[in-house]
Every structure is written in structure tokens, then in C-alpha cells.
Amino acid sequence: MNSIGKQVLNALKGEINEIDYQRYIKQLSYDENESKSNLAIFRAPNALIANWIRTKFADKIAHLFEIKTNVKPSVSILLPLSTQSTIPNAITPLNTERPNGSLLNPSYTFQNFVVGDSNNFAFIAAKNVSEKPGVVYNPLFIYGGVGLGKTHLMQSVGNVMLAQGKTVIYTSVEQFLNDFTRHLSNRTMDRFKDKYRKCDLLLIDDIQFLSNKNQIQEEFFHTFDALRNENKQIIITSDKPPKKIGGLEERLKSRFESGLVADIQPPELETKIEIIKKKCEINRVKLDREVINYVATIIENNTREIEGILSKLNAYSQLMGVDITIEFARNVLKEQMAEKRSNITIDLIMDIVAKELNIKSSEIRSKSRNSNIVYARRIAIYLSRSLTPNSMPQLAQYFGMKDHTAVSHTMKKIQELMKNDEDFRIKVEELSNKVSISTPE
Ligand code: ADP
Ligand code: MG
């Protein structure tokens, strides 16, 4: 009988293209000894491959585990136990080194965080908290879209306090829940309470997953109060502000709002460029300005993609022994962009928008001036432009608009609304996520 890890990799084979399988996945081995039901550990031969798999396949792997075992584990791609990577300039395995047995990523520091208009407020708040934990704002609640640096910022505070010898716990809702369940069934709740109520800093990432989990909300509420009564700092992240988290007890919402709520917006182009430079520096990848600008324009809003892209550029340039010029970058990344977008079509967007907004998809393309339909039409245009490779003239034609300036006008309008209207931004992002996850990769 194959190990569960092997079974999962076999299942993955059927889901990804052959080249990716041969080049990357085949090199993985499952670490049966170190893995647990909620933590799947694989070993990759070097940091490049590890990083690439982490970026591209870790979610899929976790999902396949969930299908087979009903538990979705965290997936860690680590290097072999005895050896270090020997590839020069390899991307350092960012999420694997955990000194002091802590779960913090040591590269998530304030120094490595690029500050721009989009994240300035949250940055300063986190900085203040690191200087006066438990005093200034408790809790600090940071929210914003995927890949905008929430985890990075909260862990920056963690790393400062860790260096001062403080006890820091970084956890997710899922981990907290697992821990709770385990201690409950082992009748060791005292230890659970000791652990979570005696730390100096509690970092809870992605709290939106508390939604509708009643028992753990109760437990979390008591943990929260115990810590705050002792002036121990709590930092929470979420993809939305407290009042927008559905299925969450009112008393928790009001607790979350009782400190400081700070949002992070998508980075401006200049900030994106600086983040890429920073990542190049940390990972010792050399890119010239033109290439950096190019990468900045293709990553849209999710900064998480940067490491995958750098890793890919680096891997290819080493494989072929050539420098990373702009032509080279375009060629290498073209395939990735096409791949990312090829499965999303305007029709798919129309279907999802129509379904979610309760109208008919044919109405979106009609000439109707009904406000609900206009609303849906604008969002569909915005998502089509953001998520598919269609040009503005193509979209104008598809949606029966006069010309490309009409599309451009709609884009501006939506961007403005998203900036000024929180509810609207969340709605559009939700729709965008629905579109992205409904496509088979
Ligand atoms: P989130 O938790 O909001 O989804 P992360 O904190 O995981 O996002 O950030 C995703 C990646 O982008 C990480 O590698 C992080 O270091 C990087 N990143 C995001 N914002 C910044 C920033 N302002 N400066 C430097 N790196 C950033
Ligand atoms: Mg995060």
C-alpha cells in the first residue's frame, strides 16, 4: 500500500501537465516520519524546486489530501534533512526556516516590508504595537485582500518580540481549532489554556475562518479576554473588516473593533516595483530595471506571485545559462500568463456574475438601463478586462458598447468605486475569487 503522500502525488499527476510533473513533482518525496494528519511534509532536492512547488502546487496538494483524508493539512515543502541546497543564487526556501522552533518566517521583518500609500497605515500601526505591545492598540486588526502583506506585517511584530525573548504564538483558526480538539479529547485543557493564555503575543492569521464555527468562537473569546486582561498583545488578520465577517458572534466583532482596525489596499505600481526589488535582494536574484517594471505590470495585485516568478526566471536562466533580459523574461512568463488566464472566459464571468447577482446572463449584454443590470454589466466588464486577455475593443464589441473608450470609462468608474466603497470592493473581490476558483487549472 502506498503512503498517503504517494497516493496524493499520484492523484496530482492526473491533474497537472506532464512537463510540470516530470520536472518538479516527480522529485518530491513524502516524509512519512515527520508528517502528521494536519501537516504534510515533502522533501524536494533543492530550494528552487521547493519554492516552485510551494507556489504552484501546495494548495492543490493540500486539497487532494483533504479529499482522501477529510483533513486539509498545511503542506510544507522542505529540503532533505541532511543536505543544503547547492544551487547558486537559489531562492531561499522562505517558509521553511523556523529558528527557535517558532513558526515565524524570519524574513518577514519591518526592514523587508516596503511601505507605500496602500499599506502605510497598517505598517505604522504594527510598528507602534511592536514598540509598545499590549499598550497602544489591543487588538490590532489588519485586513485586506490576498497577498497584500498581512501575514508579513503581523509576523514582523512577532519577530521583533521573539528577538526580545518574548513568547510569541502564531496560529491559524484551523490550528487553534485542532489544538483545542486534541486537548479536549486528551483531557489536557489546562495545557491548552496555559499555552494560549500565557504568551506575550498571540498572532491569529485569517480570522475570517472563525465564521460559523461556534464552539471555537466561544473558546477564542475567552482566550482573547484572558490575554487582554493581562495586557498581552493580540494581532488578528482577516480578508474583511470585523463587521463584514458573517457567522461571527457580536461580542467577538465588538472585541475586534475595540482596538485598532487597519486596512491594506492593493499596492500602487511604484510600491509593487519596490517590493520586487526587495524580493530580488533577499533572494539574491539580479534583475535589471526593465525586467522589474515588466514583472510589476504582470503581477496584478497579489504580491505572492512575485516569488514564484523570480524563482521561475532564475531557474530558466540557470538551466539555459543566459542572463535575464527583458526578451527572456517575456518569453518565460508569457506561457505562465497565458496559462493563468486561458481558462477564464467572458462567458464564465457572465455566468458567475449573473448567478451571484440574481439576474439572467443574457440581460447583462442587453441594452437595459435597469440599475441592477447596469451594475452587473459594469462588474462583468471590469472582471473581463482584469481576468481575461481580451482587449478593450474586443470587450466593447462583446458588450455592445460604442468603442473602447466606453470600456475604459467603465474600468475607471469601477476602480474609483472600489477605492471609496468598502462594500463594493469586497463584493467585486468575492466575485473575482469565485471566477478564479471555478476554473480548472
Ligand atoms: P497576505 O497575508 O496579506 O495574504 P502575505 O503577507 O503572505 O500576504 O504576503 C505575500 C507575499 O508578498 C509575501 O512574500 C510578502 O513578503 C510579500 N509582500 C506583500 N506586501 C509586501 C510589502 N509591502 N513589502 C514587502 N513584501 C511584501
Ligand atoms: Mg496571510
Side-chain angles (χ1 to χ4, degrees):
M1 181 68 187
N2 276 339
S3 70
I4 179 71
K6 270 221 176 87
Q7 294 176 36
V8 163
L9 294 183
N10 276 336
L12 184 64
K13 186 175 185 181
E15 299 208 357
I16 65 177
N17 73 47
E18 182 63 22
I19 296 176
D20 277 347
Y21 182 80
Q22 294 296 340
R23 199 179 284 163
Y24 304 108
I25 303 299
K26 226 178 140 184
Q27 317 227 35
L28 275 187
S29 58
Y30 180 60
D31 190 332
E32 226 165 320
N33 297 330
E34 299 282 314
S35 296
K36 305 188 193 99
S37 66
N38 61 351
L39 175 68
I41 296 182
F42 290 89
R43 304 272 170 192
N46 64 51
L48 267 174
I49 291 181
N51 200 52
W52 186 237
I53 292 176
R54 207 174 285 135
T55 325
K56 211 169 162 197
F57 302 111
D59 285 349
K60 253 200 182 108
I61 292 174
H63 181 64
L64 289 169
F65 267 98
E66 192 180 12
I67 292 175
K68 290 195 183 291
T69 66
N70 285 327
V71 177
K72 189 170 186 177
S74 311
V75 171
S76 278
I77 313 292
L78 307 181
L79 299 183
L81 282 171
S82 51
T83 57
Q84 285 295 318
S85 165
T86 49
I87 294 195
N89 288 332
I91 301 269
T92 42
L94 286 175
N95 290 311
T96 56
E97 288 161 34
R98 313 258 190 236
N100 312 329
S102 117
L103 282 166
L104 299 181
N105 183 330
S107 76
Y108 285 175
T109 60
F110 287 121
Q111 292 88 320
N112 286 343
F113 193 83
V114 174
V115 185
D117 287 345
S118 55
N119 57 31
N120 191 21
F121 184 65
F123 175 83
I124 291 175
K127 201 84 208 289
N128 285 343
V129 163
S130 75
E131 283 155 12
K132 291 200 174 100
V135 180
V136 272
Y137 329 107
N138 206 9
L140 171 61
F141 189 104
I142 304 173
Y143 75 92
V146 176
L148 301 185
K150 300 181 297 293
T151 300
H152 185 138
L153 260 191
M154 77 163 13
Q155 292 205 4
S156 300
V157 181
N159 278 317
V160 168
M161 290 184 60
L162 202 62
Q164 297 165 345
K166 302 275 172 53
T167 316
V168 177
I169 296 187
Y170 170 78
T171 188
S172 61
V173 168
E174 200 183 2
Q175 231 174 318
F176 185 79
L177 177 64
N178 287 342
D179 232 14
F180 173 72
T181 322
R182 189 165 49 88
H183 283 289
L184 196 65
S185 67
N186 294 346
R187 298 170 191 276
T188 48
M189 277 309 286
D190 289 353
R191 275 171 46 204
F192 178 84
K193 286 184 182 153
D194 264 7
K195 174 175 170 189
Y196 286 99
R197 298 184 190 182
K198 295 223 166 100
C199 60
D200 300 300
L201 172 66
L202 179 63
L203 306 172
I204 304 244
D205 214 352
D206 292 315
I207 199 85
Q208 70 272 13
F209 294 118
L210 264 188
S211 167
N212 297 322
K213 300 197 175 86
N214 296 341
Q215 191 187 15
I216 202 68
Q217 286 189 21
E218 168 88 26
E219 187 56 37
F220 184 67
F221 177 79
H222 295 303
T223 305
F224 185 100
D225 271 4
L227 283 169
R228 211 175 50 168
N229 289 339
E230 299 276 321
N231 291 330
K232 305 294 192 188
Q233 181 69 44
I234 302 155
I235 306 181
I236 299 168
T237 68
S238 165
D239 64 348
K240 37 179 117 51
K243 58 174 171 303
K244 300 275 161 54
I245 305 177
L248 187 67
E249 290 179 23
E250 280 308 319
R251 58 179 185 167
L252 274 174
K253 284 189 194 175
S254 68
R255 289 290 192 287
F256 292 169
E257 283 169 348
S258 64
L260 181 75
V261 178
D263 69 325
I264 303 188
Q265 296 290 326
E268 311 77 31
L269 186 64
E270 304 84 82
T271 311
K272 273 192 227 173
I273 290 175
E274 291 307 314
I275 296 175
I276 296 167
K277 284 190 190 156
K278 196 58 144 197
K279 291 285 175 200
C280 286
E281 189 188 307
I282 296 170
N283 296 303
R284 282 175 287 132
V285 176
K286 275 212 174 72
L287 294 186
D288 64 28
R289 218 185 52 209
E290 212 181 354
V291 177
I292 291 177
N293 290 352
Y294 172 67
V295 173
T297 56
I298 65 170
I299 56 168
E300 289 158 28
N301 287 335
N302 186 347
T303 333
R304 249 177 233 175
E305 293 173 61
I306 295 176
E307 266 149 9
I309 289 179
L310 295 187
S311 170
K312 185 163 192 174
L313 287 176
N314 217 27
Y316 276 59
S317 95
Q318 282 177 15
L319 219 62
M320 300 174 193
V322 296
D323 287 343
I324 305 173
T325 59
I326 181 76
E327 289 75 27
F328 177 81
R330 281 216 177 91
N331 272 327
V332 171
L333 300 177
K334 201 165 57 194
E335 178 201 349
Q336 163 157 343
M337 307 244 311
E339 206 177 284
K340 194 168 113 190
R341 294 175 169 214
S342 63
N343 293 317
I344 300 181
T345 60
I346 308 182
D347 287 333
L348 176 76
I349 291 172
M350 299 268 283
D351 285 346
I352 288 174
V353 170
K355 185 163 150 250
E356 295 293 320
L357 301 179
N358 276 325
I359 55 173
K360 290 203 201 83
S361 97
S362 59
E363 288 175 316
I364 296 182
R365 282 175 77 178
S366 72
K367 297 262 181 245
S368 166
R369 303 303 305 163
N370 169 298
S371 65
N372 286 338
I373 294 173
V374 173
Y375 176 82
R377 185 180 304 136
R378 284 188 173 149
I379 294 179
I381 292 169
Y382 174 81
L383 293 179
S384 300
R385 179 68 185 142
S386 316
L387 302 175
T388 75
N390 289 286
S391 65
M392 294 217 229
Q394 282 168 330
L395 291 174
Q397 194 177 16
Y398 187 94
F399 287 97
M401 299 166 100
K402 210 166 72 216
D403 58 15
H404 68 95
T405 53
V407 176
S408 154
H409 180 74
T410 304
M411 292 300 290
K412 284 209 189 91
K413 190 141 208 148
I414 296 281
Q415 276 153 356
E416 196 147 294
L417 265 175
M418 284 176 73
K419 216 166 151 190
N420 299 326
D421 181 344
E422 183 77 48
D423 286 340
F424 183 73
R425 179 182 67 79
I426 291 173
K427 184 81 221 165
V428 175
E429 279 173 2
E430 268 172 13
L431 284 166
S432 171
N433 287 338
K434 287 218 165 87
V435 171
S436 304
I437 59 176
S438 68
T439 59
E441 222 184 273

